[in-house]
Amino acid sequence: MRYPNFPPIAYFAALMLAPTWVYAHAEHDKVRYVAETGKDEGRCDQISAPCQTIAYAAKQAGKGDQIQMAEGRYEITDLDSIFYLSSNVVPVTGSYQKKTFQKPAAPATNSILVGVPAEFAQGLAEQGFQVISDTKGLNRSEQDYLNAKQSQLTAMASAQAEVPCVAGKAGEFSCNNLGLLTHVPLATLGNNNSRGNDIWGHFDLNDNREYALVGLTNGVSIVEVTDPVNPRVVSFIASQNTIWRDLATYQYYDDTRRRWMSYAYISADAASVGTMILDLNELPNKVTHVASETTDTSAHNIYISNVDYSTGVVLTKRTPYLHLAGSNRQGGAFNSYSLTNPLSPQAVYKHPANSRDWYSHDITSLWIMDARREQCIDKNNDCDLVIDYNENEVLLWDKTDSAKPFNLARSTYQYVSYVHSGWWTEDRQFYSVHDELDEQRYNLNTRVRFFELNNLRAPELVGEYIGPTPAVDHNGYTRGNRYYFSNYERGLVVLDISDPRNPVEAGFFDTYPIANSASFNGAWSTYPFLPSGNILIGDINSGLYVIRDNTAKAQGSVKFSSARVAAKEGEVLRVTLQRVGGSTGAVDVFYEAQPGNATAQDFTSIAGSISWLDGDASEKIIEIPIAADVSGNEFTETFFVRLYNPRNGLMLASPNLLVVDIADKPDEPVTVSSSSVNSSSSAAAVEPKKSGSGGGSAPLLILGLLGLLAVNTRYSFAVNAHGN
């Protein structure tokens, strides 16, 4: 029986975009051994202990692995082995000697495959196998199974847009409360031979455009996603081939150029790449590689501290630092660099020891600004806390003096296997931990752990998310009371962490529909900080996904009424907050102002919280006094107001970052979007004034975050003519 419309082996090889990936960061490019006398147990990585089936070996494979089959006779009885043999998910070769797995010059016998359906015989013979075809062919259920695999592979290789999640499916992708805005496949980002890895985002404050920076094994692709349904590949920056890259961005205002300047920093776990510095200042036309920092010739991860992760702009009264983790220096302990000169980072710290004991796989950081400062070295000032994911444990460092970090605590947990990464909650009371190997080593389902930071000298494990599958958790980030993490073969998972002691799954989007095991395919990382609220996913096997988050519940969401407003010097800006999509329960949200190129002389810095009672969905107002200009500057000054830490089930909606532009001349007309300016002098949050209650309003003009962009231009999946 001929399998109708089933693609030949070459089709699978072209469609399957990556081999199965990592067992551990120290374990990759290995051989998994298969022999007819083997057993399907363990890792299949020892010649003396091969496994028996292709399907089992493929599920143990790591980054860059291959499968070698000893000579002998193999009954191919399961469809998954047929799939892995024909799809090249993991390269499979045969006819190795039984005891040594050496390739004889002239093998007396081959790896003989018995029971292979006739439609696969020719392709497998061309791969060097001796095939005894099963003349019965595939029955209907087997055809349906492999047909479904074909459709899933096709979806992973195809550009798609606007696919809602309906009844648990967005096309071929399983989902819940997350819809697909767009999918840009690897062939468009780099080429069919590239693989995906990490991802980051960039919001250009000069024109409000949004971008995805997609790490690939052969370089970096920069994609404009301002109109996510019509993404545009701006540039591809080629680089030395490597499995691991990491990305971060920094943005600052240049008074001389009178524009925002921005750079991307790209680490690579390769012998001679160092840290690439990309110039983002010619966007939206192109991106160029302008410099490299090669003090650390390789590094596993990169992190920039003391910046807002939506804008890349430095936080109030802080200094931005670039940190390299898992580098070739000091045993892989994190190294810190000043970004005073963004094109030439200057070293400010390197760990004094070279021991692997201090290896840092990944780090994140937050400022402790409450009574817990008593537990830090300087008890009288804010404390810069670095969370160091150290493979074997989590280290907490007081890094307030960047040149002299002090270790505050070391913590671990049951089933510790490979302490990988994590993030912190917006109330600064908890941090998460991803362990990359516990699912495999201990036969667990997905586990994400949450530690409480009440005692900086002894953090306490207080909560765990346990998933429905053994898919491996990888990288995660907090936005509001949602925790977004890549779950490899299950794709992106979103947790409601309103109570981190009891994290609850709120949604998921599976970017790797062909399997759901504890292997290393699928979603590598995510980026949830774009001002639009759209979520980026970088997938190893299939490229870039842009996702819409629909996980809000009955408590509703909170947002600003506008994404960008203009303010007039000497008056008070009234900013409107809206509770949308629900009004169940009493809820609140925090807000704070952050400087851009505007300083404390230009506006009154504000911080506080806004509350709604049960059933209340009324608009709330934040008032921000704008100073009269005494400096004589004649350029627009900008600052930001952001919402964070929504509580009691309230969720952040977009826009939750407000860009405020102060006009460059006091007598200039002011345009404001969906907010008004009046003469009230209070800086507190107040209820909206009733009609006729005083205070004239300036002319209104809707600027909207996307309103002035060229969103009517229909972008195509093509590299910009100015791109590299």
Side-chain angles (χ1 to χ4, degrees):
M1 180 185 296
R2 184 74 179 173
Y3 179 42
N5 301 319
F6 196 74
I9 295 166
Y11 180 81
F12 274 121
L15 269 181
M16 194 55 230
L17 304 173
T20 303
W21 294 62
V22 289
Y23 170 49
H25 293 289
E27 181 178 323
H28 56 90
D29 297 312
K30 282 195 161 200
V31 175
R32 307 291 165 174
Y33 300 100
V34 174
E36 60 181 332
T37 57
K39 296 181 179 179
D40 283 346
E41 58 187 31
R43 302 296 304 163
C44 314
D45 56 353
Q46 301 297 318
I47 291 175
S48 59
C51 49
Q52 188 177 48
T53 66
I54 295 294
Y56 183 85
K59 292 175 182 178
Q60 313 311 311
K63 286 185 168 117
D65 286 1
Q66 59 175 292
I67 295 173
Q68 293 181 0
M69 295 179 67
E71 58 194 6
R73 184 183 178 94
Y74 297 86
E75 296 282 345
I76 305 300
T77 59
D78 64 294
L79 292 177
D80 283 339
S81 287
I82 296 172
F83 170 71
Y84 284 111
L85 276 165
S86 60
S87 67
N88 201 34
V89 173
V90 185
V92 183
T93 53
S95 302
Y96 292 87
Q97 293 176 346
K98 291 182 178 180
K99 293 185 178 181
T100 65
F101 276 87
Q102 298 295 311
K103 196 78 169 179
T109 60
N110 293 322
S111 296
I112 303 170
L113 307 180
V114 179
V116 174
E119 47 266 59
F120 300 102
Q122 180 60 36
L124 292 174
E126 292 172 358
Q127 291 176 230
F129 294 100
Q130 182 177 337
V131 180
I132 300 177
S133 180
D134 184 351
T135 58
K136 299 188 300 296
L138 298 168
N139 63 36
R140 184 56 181 268
S141 63
E142 292 169 334
Q143 292 174 9
D144 290 344
Y145 181 83
L146 292 176
N147 256 336
K149 294 288 186 186
Q150 173 195 345
S151 296
Q152 292 162 353
L153 286 171
T154 300
M156 293 168 63
S158 302
Q160 300 170 72
E162 293 189 290
V163 185
C165 181
V166 178
K169 285 285 187 179
E172 293 292 334
F173 303 103
S174 295
C175 58
N176 180 40
N177 291 331
L178 301 179
L180 178 63
L181 289 170
T182 200
H183 172 216
V184 187
L186 286 173
T188 303
L189 296 170
N191 55 53
N192 267 331
N193 295 319
S194 64
R195 311 289 185 260
N197 43 59
D198 224 319
I199 194 166
W200 201 248
H202 173 56
F203 174 57
D204 192 331
L205 288 165
N206 295 296
D207 59 11
N208 304 328
R209 295 175 187 249
E210 294 184 341
Y211 299 89
L213 282 65
V214 186
L216 302 165
T217 53
N218 59 348
V220 179
S221 189
I222 296 87
V223 184
E224 183 177 357
V225 292
T226 310
D227 177 3
V229 176
N230 296 286
R232 179 176 63 96
V233 177
V234 177
S235 291
F236 169 72
I237 310 296
S239 183
Q240 180 178 335
N241 195 278
T242 181
I243 292 172
W244 291 285
R245 296 189 198 278
D246 198 10
L247 313 93
T249 56
Y250 173 53
Q251 188 163 201
Y252 67 97
Y253 191 82
D254 188 307
D255 288 337
T256 302
R257 294 181 176 89
R258 295 194 175 183
R259 61 164 284 140
W260 291 92
M261 305 293 290
S262 51
Y263 297 93
Y265 300 84
I266 317 295
S267 64
D269 236 351
S272 59
V273 172
T275 300
M276 294 197 304
I277 303 176
L278 304 186
D279 186 342
L280 305 180
N281 296 302
E282 294 182 82
L283 288 170
N285 297 321
K286 66 177 181 179
V287 171
T288 55
H289 177 197
V290 291
S292 292
E293 163 54 48
T294 57
T295 305
D296 301 79
T297 57
S298 68
H300 196 77
N301 278 307
I302 195 167
Y303 173 73
I304 296 180
S305 63
N306 300 335
V307 297
D308 179 89
Y309 296 104
S310 288
T311 63
V313 174
V314 66
L315 300 175
T316 306
K317 297 181 181 180
R318 307 302 184 198
T319 301
Y321 292 101
L322 180 149
H323 310 276
L324 296 176
S327 82
N328 60 300
R329 301 169 67 231
Q330 282 71 52
F334 69 83
N335 299 313
S336 303
Y337 294 81
S338 167
L339 288 176
T340 301
N341 182 347
L343 291 175
S344 182
Q346 298 299 306
V348 296
Y349 170 76
K350 63 179 181 180
H351 198 279
N354 285 311
S355 170
R356 174 80 180 187
D357 290 343
W358 295 102
Y359 178 90
S360 174
H361 178 264
D362 206 353
I363 69 171
T364 185
S365 66
L366 65 154
W367 283 86
I368 302 299
M369 299 177 289
D370 55 22
R372 290 173 295 167
R373 296 185 305 185
E374 290 284 334
Q375 304 168 35
C376 296
I377 302 304
D378 181 355
K379 300 180 180 181
N380 299 314
N381 291 293
D382 294 347
C383 175
D384 185 4
L385 184 70
V386 168
I387 307 172
D388 180 0
Y389 299 90
N390 182 241
E391 290 189 311
N392 301 312
E393 57 190 344
V394 181
L395 308 180
L396 297 187
W397 299 87
D398 178 346
K399 200 178 147 306
T400 311
D401 181 348
S402 288
K404 297 179 180 179
F406 179 84
N407 183 227
L408 295 173
R410 307 175 75 145
S411 58
T412 186
Y413 47 86
Q414 186 183 23
Y415 304 127
V416 63
S417 300
Y418 192 95
V419 182
H420 183 272
S421 60
W423 206 252
W424 39 277
T425 58
E426 290 189 346
D427 62 4
R428 304 170 189 263
Q429 300 298 317
F430 304 86
Y431 66 85
S432 63
V433 179
H434 295 282
D435 190 309
E436 197 175 22
L437 296 181
D438 56 342
E439 289 87 2
Q440 288 185 338
R441 289 184 175 176
Y442 294 101
N443 195 30
L444 304 175
N445 279 4
T446 305
R447 292 203 178 196
V448 180
R449 298 163 175 87
F450 290 86
F451 282 74
E452 188 169 37
L453 275 170
N454 184 51
N455 185 348
L456 302 183
R457 303 290 180 131
E460 181 185 0
L461 176 63
V462 294
E464 281 187 323
Y465 162 76
I466 300 177
T469 76
V472 176
D473 50 297
H474 197 218
N475 291 317
Y477 303 96
T478 306
R479 193 193 76 203
N481 55 19
R482 293 295 187 266
Y483 188 70
Y484 301 83
F485 73 92
S486 54
N487 200 195
Y488 273 133
E489 291 197 357
R490 194 166 180 249
L492 171 69
V493 173
V494 182
L495 302 182
D496 182 341
I497 55 169
S498 299
D499 178 7
R501 297 176 183 83
N502 183 33
V504 177
E505 183 173 311
F508 78 97
F509 189 94
D510 190 352
T511 58
Y512 190 78
I514 61 176
N516 210 337
S517 65
S519 297
F520 296 89
N521 299 294
W524 178 294
S525 194
T526 183
Y527 178 85
F529 301 117
L530 289 176
S532 65
N534 297 333
I535 313 302
L536 305 178
I537 306 173
D539 187 276
I540 296 167
N541 309 79
S542 54
L544 167 66
Y545 295 80
V546 184
I547 301 297
R548 176 181 286 119
D549 185 348
N550 298 314
T551 64
K553 297 183 179 179
Q555 292 89 343
S557 302
V558 60
K559 66 176 185 175
F560 292 113
S561 60
S562 308
R564 193 162 196 148
V565 300
K568 188 174 182 179
E569 292 175 352
E571 296 191 346
V572 173
L573 176 68
R574 291 171 55 84
V575 175
T576 303
L577 275 68
Q578 298 173 332
R579 183 183 187 183
V580 298
S583 61
T584 300
V587 297
D588 54 8
V589 67
F590 288 77
Y591 62 87
E592 66 177 2
Q594 298 176 347
N597 62 320
T599 67
Q601 296 178 337
D602 301 307
F603 69 99
T604 299
S605 184
I606 59 166
S609 64
I610 297 285
S611 299
W612 285 264
L613 296 176
D614 181 22
D616 180 13
S618 63
E619 293 185 341
K620 308 291 184 180
I621 300 295
I622 299 172
E623 294 187 338
I624 311 172
I626 308 298
D629 188 11
V630 295
S631 66
N633 289 335
E634 293 189 356
F635 55 86
T636 298
E637 295 164 311
T638 299
F639 68 94
F640 313 99
V641 186
R642 77 177 187 101
L643 303 177
Y644 71 101
N645 191 28
R647 298 194 300 184
N648 301 322
L650 183 68
M651 184 179 169
L652 293 183
S654 179
N656 52 69
L657 175 74
L658 176 68
V659 181
V660 181
D661 295 316
I662 305 173
D664 57 0
K665 294 180 181 179
D667 57 351
E668 263 192 2
V670 179
T671 56
V672 188
S673 64
S674 301
S675 293
S676 61
V677 176
N678 64 42
S679 57
S680 172
S681 60
S682 171
V686 298
E687 295 289 339
K689 294 183 178 180
K690 296 180 181 179
S691 175
S693 61
S697 63
L700 301 181
L701 175 63
I702 296 177
L703 296 177
L705 181 59
L706 304 179
L708 294 182
L709 303 182
V711 294
N712 292 327
T713 302
R714 306 302 287 178
Y715 300 130
S716 62
F717 286 111
V719 177
N720 186 281
H722 299 285
N724 290 357

